[in-house]
Amino acid sequence: MLDRKLSPWGLGLLVFGVLAGSYVLTLLVFGFQLSPTNLLAIPLIALPVAAAVQLAVTNRLLNRQLDKMVRTQTLSLPEPSKRQPHRLLEHFRALLRPEGWLLAEDGDLLENHGMSLAEAPPLPEPGEWQHQQQQSWIRLTRGETSYVIGLTLRNDLSREVIQHFLHKLELDSQPATGPLSPGFGHSPRLRKVILASERLAQMQAFISNSFEHMPDGIIVTDELGVIRIANQHIEDWFREPMPSITGMPLTSLLEGHDPKDTPPWHEVISETLTLKESRTLDLTVHGKDFLVHFAPFELPEHGQFGIIANISDISELREQQRQHREAIDFISHDVRSPLVSQLALIEQLKRDPASIDELHLDQLRMLARRSYNLAEEFVQLARAEQLTEPRFYECELLAIVENARDSVYEQAQRKNISLQLIGTEDLWMRGNAELLERAVINLLTNAVQYSPEDATVSIHVYRAAHLACLAIADEGCGIDTDELPYLFDRYHRQKRSELAGTLGAGLGLSFVKTVVEKHRGEIKVDSLPDEGTTFTLRFPISDPML
């Protein structure tokens, strides 16, 4: 208890009092009197003794705290040499789902499935993976015992990636690091301080890295709703620098983004702190949709409550919901409408078969073709949205454009429209030739459809730096300026098309843009009413050095 109640000066006075009392007791009982010099020595002795006692108590406390810190569980990964081989195999099987596996100890087979030790290659270096097509092998040492692990991976595109991942794992014992310096080896306390400091640094780095790499935005406030911690997502989404966010009231950050039909942010935050109840609300920031969850939590030491706000980006989910609603509307109206008309016409002809003539057959043919075209556009757009780069291959842009031109040649001939192709250079790119050709056909079909008779549609294929370019220009009616921002939206049809009775679902240009973006390209439109339209497509060349 001395270390908690007495300072060094107080302890010195206590020692001085004990020595002075001893002097008085000696004088009264034994009649022995010290000299003035000895009396002066009492305070000189008292202070060092007090300091020594205080230092001893402090050392005991420090040792206890250091022992406690050293025993604290570390957040760093276990050392590779301490990972048991049977646990490693269990984890490999859970993570990689191999087709076969094997575990052997000093040449004795412990566990296997579809593999044998006879298939193992030489494994001279412990901890080094050896790969033989689908099979991967490694030898591990644990003390005096040698283990062999074998895996048979799936023979697909993921095999090479998994083998590269295995190479980067450190699974065998590593050389121990030497002492910090010759003088440090004789100080157990210093070693404990260094070890405790390293573990605290590891824990802090682990928490910091985990916090920053969370998929959601995280905000932590104090008891007054002032932001004390925020991760990088918050800075990016709200476009506020981190120094400004830290110390800002949470209500100030959220002001101007109030959710619809709900209380303002200051009421939500104050109720979360005072009522200690979680809340979940929608949030829109700079055109992106988020879901915000507020949860109260108890702060350390003084028992007050702060807020943890979890902010999830649900923009993609909202877009999928919107597309789903549009698809249902499209199927329920645009697709069903011609089918209903066909059924009505068929029922009419069934009642009076003698009235069937060429006009009725033409009507049925038109309605059936419209239904087919609507379904085809919808299916093609779905295919384009599911396109991924692993399904790309080398294709040549000029050949794709020539095939697309040939596909619309008959349609152009009916209006005596000339399709002029300019370009002779082969421009190779990685992509899906079928969908690219379908996109070019859509653009050429539109150019022919909206051009007057005896017009010319020019098709220019050329190279610009490291880009393969395609420009399709027509002499048609053009596009109104107020229509341009919505030109590539799903189910959007121009007013001119509606007035002219041109059939379509408004999916063609949306399909073109989707295909271009999937190929990491860009599309540009230049148009003025009654002056024609030019669509320009640019794609990265597969080997720009050629």
Side-chain angles (χ1 to χ4, degrees), residues 35-324:
S35 65
T37 305
N38 292 332
L39 288 175
L40 293 176
I42 291 177
L44 297 179
I45 296 173
L47 285 177
V49 169
V53 172
Q54 183 73 17
L55 182 60
V57 173
T58 302
N59 284 340
R60 286 197 300 272
L61 282 174
L62 181 59
N63 287 333
R64 287 200 297 268
Q65 291 298 321
L66 286 174
D67 291 338
K68 183 178 179 180
M69 293 172 65
V70 170
R71 288 193 301 268
T72 300
Q73 183 179 4
T74 177
L75 290 177
S76 60
L77 296 176
E79 295 180 8
S81 59
K82 295 182 180 179
R83 300 180 187 180
Q84 294 302 320
H86 71 280
R87 285 293 185 189
L88 284 173
L89 180 59
E90 178 184 340
H91 297 160
F92 284 144
R93 290 177 55 188
L95 176 65
L96 307 177
R97 301 289 172 155
E99 295 178 351
W101 57 86
L102 177 147
L103 175 62
E105 177 183 348
D106 289 333
D108 296 328
L109 198 60
L110 299 180
E111 181 181 352
N112 74 308
H113 175 77
M115 300 181 73
S116 65
L117 277 174
E119 302 174 84
L123 301 170
E125 294 294 332
E128 293 291 334
W129 285 94
Q130 299 292 329
H131 304 292
Q132 293 181 333
Q133 296 181 344
Q134 289 180 248
Q135 292 188 346
S136 298
W137 299 84
I138 189 172
R139 181 168 68 89
L140 302 175
T141 57
R142 297 295 183 264
E144 301 297 327
T145 308
S146 177
Y147 294 88
V148 173
I149 293 179
L151 301 172
T152 301
L153 305 175
R154 297 187 302 273
N155 192 22
D156 54 22
L157 295 175
S158 66
R159 177 169 58 86
E160 292 186 4
V161 177
I162 292 176
Q163 289 176 344
H164 180 70
F165 165 77
L166 293 175
H167 261 304
K168 298 179 68 176
L169 295 176
E170 296 181 354
L171 303 178
D172 208 71
S173 58
Q174 303 296 319
T177 57
L180 297 178
S181 71
F184 291 167
H186 303 290
S187 176
R189 181 185 297 174
L190 184 56
R191 288 198 297 270
K192 289 182 179 180
V193 170
I194 294 172
L195 180 58
S197 177
E198 288 177 350
R199 291 195 171 180
L200 287 175
Q202 290 173 354
M203 183 178 297
Q204 184 178 15
F206 181 88
I207 295 174
S208 176
N209 291 336
S210 302
F211 189 75
E212 285 298 328
H213 290 86
M214 285 182 175
D216 294 339
I218 304 295
I219 295 175
V220 181
T221 77
D222 59 16
E223 65 273 19
L224 296 179
V226 177
I227 299 174
R228 297 306 176 189
I229 304 175
N231 63 1
Q232 187 65 39
H233 287 307
I234 303 302
E235 181 178 17
D236 297 337
W237 292 340
F238 287 87
R239 301 176 187 176
E240 289 279 353
M242 191 59 70
S244 300
I245 293 176
T246 305
M248 176 189 297
L250 182 55
T251 53
S252 301
L253 182 68
L254 298 176
E255 279 179 355
H257 310 290
D258 293 292
K260 297 179 180 178
D261 305 323
T262 56
W265 289 116
H266 72 275
E267 291 185 14
V268 175
I269 295 171
S270 63
E271 289 178 0
T272 303
L273 289 172
T274 55
L275 302 178
K276 301 178 181 61
E277 295 179 352
S278 299
R279 301 288 298 274
T280 301
L281 299 167
D282 290 326
L283 170 67
T284 301
V285 180
H286 301 301
K288 301 188 70 173
D289 295 316
F290 299 91
L291 193 66
V292 186
H293 181 75
F294 297 106
F297 76 103
E298 188 173 357
L299 297 169
E301 296 181 1
H302 47 68
Q304 297 293 327
F305 279 77
I307 293 177
I308 294 180
N310 186 90
I311 304 179
S312 304
D313 185 355
I314 58 171
S315 301
E316 186 175 347
L317 177 61
R318 287 282 190 263
E319 178 63 20
Q320 290 175 353
Q321 291 174 341
R322 183 186 67 81
Q323 293 179 4
H324 179 68

